[in-house]
Amino acid sequence: IGGPPTAVMDKLLSDTNPKKAEDTNPSMAKGDGVSTEVVPIPSGPPPLPFLGNLRDLTGPDGGLHEHITRLVSEYGGLFSLQIPSGLINLPTAKFGGTVVLADPELLGELFQRPDVFQKRLFKHSAIRQGLGGQGLFTTDDDEPIHDQAARVLLPAFSMRGMQEYFEMIKETTAVLQQQFIEQGAAGAAVDLHPLLSRYTFDIIGKVGFGRDFSSLTGRPCSFLDRFQEFSESSLRLQQGIGGFSGAFKTSKAVAGLVTGELATSKRIVSQIEAEVKAVIADKKSLLAGEGGCPFKGAAPAPAPSEAEIDPAAAGGCPFAKKGIVKDMATRMLTEPDPETGELLPDDNIVNQAATFLIAGHDSTSTAITMLLYHVAQSPDVEERVYNEVMSVVGDGPITWDALGKMKYCTQVVKENLRLFSPAAQFVKTSPPDQTVTLGRYVVPPGTSFVCSTWGLHRRMSTRTHSSSTPTAGPTRTRPSGRRTPGSPSATASAAASGSSSRSSSSASASPRSSASSTSASTSPPSSR
């Protein structure tokens, strides 16, 4: 893994006592049918001196997520790789080597051992200096603020929370529907992604902050304008001056200074941060005022029944109903951590708000854009979706209960997420001071696993590394039962055709560029 085996690894490999393997991986104990033999992690493509696997991970035919997917098809679901520092926003070589993981059984084991394989690199990355700060996605598992924020915010993401937000989402969806009708009647092509970006941003504004941005109806939204500008600047910075200058952290920094993109990015970040702080300050002011509705600017909710009305609450506010889950901003500002009894620090609330406003709206709008793109490419799927909606909902309004009855629609959504996962990869790291195992493989201290969701989802079949017998990979059929036409790479290339390259610190990456990061949000085409 980029260097000679450590003395500890030599000891573990040469030791004939199976208890050594049992100590580092309980699943390898005798009697469970798993071999106790341990072996090194397989090697991937040979790296070049100083450049690592640069030539294997860059090129005009796709971004990092697509190149890793190609390597997975060649080298299997587990192999070592040297990723240049500028291609991924986390220092994967901070404590040890880097390994690509796209094996379903090994990935399952990794998740079953959260005390061993953790997020450990964000505190050492430049991402922490950006808008996300110490948000939920940008804190490590060993940082107390991560669990504190999770305990406060998780109720908002519960099924009950989603059910209470359903009417707000449906209301915004009706506005989107009207936009489709008006633009369709005009005979003009509909550029989906910008429209869906405003749609998801308006929803995040309502359910996250009790604020109606109304960007769908044409109200100017400086936040979205600056986010677009920041995305374009970040992509130019990722691409560098030319050649591979954006592939390494140092060369990228130099290119940013020479081109002025670093200064541009810092300016935009400061402006967005000021807007986020203003949103939180406005929410604080509303909560501090007597009788202020935390859902500022929202249309009145449908009249609740007497049993739903809290006598102490004001009339039409959606949060006047008993048991309503608070929006995320209200929760962060008023709900103490159930374990420590402390409120989240103000600076962390700003970090969380920036995370929701940026990552929350961009990844979702990308996923919906690609959902509609894929359905448009499959008339038979579109017809089945329509028929199911008409049989369950008919001409009446859609309801929360109806969602659970539309099984085929759910399959279509999941298949779209498999084909075009907004999060192309994530990273987990083994203990920096301890040799462990994963399956039957020795994992040297501080090994970072780049877990490729694209590679995992595009494996037509897989031979798992935890056993010697072939096993079926993820289903590769459309919900209609027909195999998806074309190779996985062809599917990705078709989806990326005409991409309006977007990139951000959260971090977006165009399939047509080499830009990428740990939570890389792959760009949709400018769908018409």
Side-chain angles (χ1 to χ4, degrees):
I1 308 180
T6 64
V8 178
M9 183 174 177
D10 286 337
K11 170 68 174 173
L12 187 54
L13 286 173
S14 62
D15 203 316
T16 57
N17 182 1
K19 290 185 178 180
K20 292 292 183 180
E22 294 171 20
D23 291 341
T24 57
N25 183 355
S27 71
M28 298 184 68
K30 289 182 178 179
D32 62 0
V34 180
S35 170
T36 56
E37 178 187 3
V38 290
V39 297
I41 292 173
S43 297
L48 295 173
F50 305 109
L51 298 179
N53 290 111
L54 176 64
R55 62 182 178 181
D56 302 298
L57 298 172
T58 55
D61 55 341
L64 177 66
H65 53 290
E66 290 182 295
H67 288 295
I68 289 181
T69 299
R70 174 179 51 79
L71 292 177
V72 167
S73 68
E74 296 177 17
Y75 291 91
L78 185 74
F79 57 90
S80 61
L81 197 68
Q82 290 186 15
I83 302 178
S85 59
L87 292 185
I88 196 165
N89 286 336
L90 290 177
T92 56
K94 175 71 176 179
F95 301 114
T98 304
V99 171
V100 170
L101 175 59
D103 180 285
E105 289 190 17
L106 294 180
L107 191 59
E109 180 185 327
L110 180 142
F111 276 113
Q112 290 169 5
R113 300 166 65 191
D115 293 337
V116 177
F117 302 100
Q118 299 185 342
K119 289 194 299 177
R120 304 179 191 269
L121 303 178
F122 279 102
K123 65 175 72 71
H124 306 287
S125 74
I127 295 178
R128 287 286 280 270
Q129 311 305 317
L131 285 169
Q134 288 187 301
L136 275 177
F137 299 153
T138 52
T139 48
D140 291 324
D141 293 338
D142 59 355
E143 296 183 274
I145 191 64
H146 175 274
D147 288 350
Q148 182 181 355
R151 288 189 293 266
V152 171
L153 289 168
L154 278 180
F157 295 98
S158 66
M159 186 62 69
R160 178 186 170 192
M162 294 299 101
Q163 184 174 2
E164 297 294 351
Y165 295 149
F166 176 73
E167 290 299 324
M168 304 177 199
I169 297 172
K170 188 169 74 170
E171 179 185 82
T172 308
T173 305
V175 179
L176 175 66
Q177 178 185 4
Q178 189 61 34
Q179 289 292 315
F180 284 153
I181 292 172
E182 292 176 1
Q183 294 189 35
V190 178
D191 195 356
L192 280 180
H193 189 250
L195 191 63
L196 290 170
S197 182
R198 294 193 292 272
Y199 165 68
T200 56
F201 185 75
D202 282 355
I203 289 175
I204 287 291
K206 289 181 178 180
V207 304
F209 306 94
R211 191 175 183 120
D212 189 359
F213 288 101
S214 295
S215 65
L216 257 180
T217 57
R219 180 188 295 179
C221 185
S222 58
F223 186 97
L224 284 178
D225 292 340
R226 289 184 176 126
F227 177 71
Q228 177 65 27
E229 185 182 2
F230 179 76
S231 298
E232 294 169 353
S233 175
S234 297
L235 182 60
R236 290 192 297 268
L237 187 61
Q238 178 70 47
Q239 293 172 333
I241 297 176
F244 298 121
S245 62
F248 299 93
K249 186 166 57 176
T250 302
S251 59
K252 186 191 295 186
V254 172
L257 288 172
V258 172
T259 61
E261 294 295 349
L262 275 180
T264 299
S265 293
K266 289 182 178 179
R267 171 183 59 80
I268 300 171
V269 166
S270 296
Q271 292 173 334
I272 293 178
E273 184 177 16
E275 290 200 39
V276 173
K277 288 181 177 179
V279 169
I280 297 300
D282 187 40
K283 171 64 70 174
K284 270 188 171 182
S285 176
L286 285 170
L287 293 174
E290 293 184 3
C293 174
F295 201 76
K296 182 181 179 183
S305 65
E306 292 186 7
E308 293 179 308
I309 296 178
D310 183 344
C317 174
F319 293 94
K321 294 182 180 180
K322 286 184 177 179
I324 287 289
V325 177
K326 300 177 181 178
D327 66 55
M328 289 178 285
T330 300
R331 179 171 290 279
M332 288 188 291
L333 289 166
T334 62
E335 291 288 323
D337 174 13
E339 287 193 10
T340 66
E342 299 175 352
L343 292 173
L344 291 177
D346 286 351
D347 58 345
N348 187 259
I349 293 175
V350 172
N351 295 155
Q352 306 292 358
T355 298
F356 293 133
L357 284 171
I358 295 174
H361 98 271
D362 193 50
S363 59
T364 311
S365 62
T366 296
I368 300 174
T369 299
M370 294 312 302
L371 171 64
L372 298 179
Y373 176 85
H374 286 133
V375 170
Q377 299 298 308
S378 309
D380 57 323
V381 172
E382 181 177 6
E383 183 177 2
R384 287 190 64 181
V385 166
Y386 174 80
N387 289 338
E388 182 176 72
V389 171
M390 293 306 296
S391 66
V392 174
V393 182
D395 293 326
I398 193 168
T399 64
W400 171 263
D401 291 337
L403 294 181
K405 298 176 182 178
M406 293 189 286
K407 305 297 184 183
Y408 185 74
C409 288
T410 301
Q411 288 178 311
V412 171
V413 170
K414 289 183 176 180
E415 176 68 353
N416 173 72
L417 291 175
R418 180 188 70 80
L419 287 172
F420 208 90
S421 307
Q425 62 259 339
F426 58 92
V427 178
K428 296 282 188 176
T429 305
S430 69
D433 58 351
Q434 182 184 2
T435 296
V436 296
T437 61
L438 183 65
R440 62 192 181 98
Y441 294 94
V442 175
V443 179
T447 298
S448 290
F449 289 86
V450 177
C451 305
S452 172
T453 52
W454 272 57
L456 175 70
H457 292 168
R458 280 167 161 70
R459 299 184 71 187
M460 299 299 289
S461 63
T462 180
R463 181 183 296 274
T464 64
H465 284 282
S466 47
S467 68
S468 59
T469 56
T471 60
T475 302
R476 288 295 179 267
T477 57
R478 295 187 185 278
S480 60
R482 296 212 313 271
R483 185 172 297 279
T484 302
S487 66
S489 59
T491 302
S493 297
S497 177
S499 169
S500 56
S501 302
R502 295 169 58 85
S503 176
S504 77
S505 61
S506 62
S508 300
S510 167
R512 305 299 294 172
S513 75
S514 60
S516 187
S517 85
T518 54
S519 54
S521 176
T522 47
S523 289
S526 184
S527 304
R528 298 289 180 177

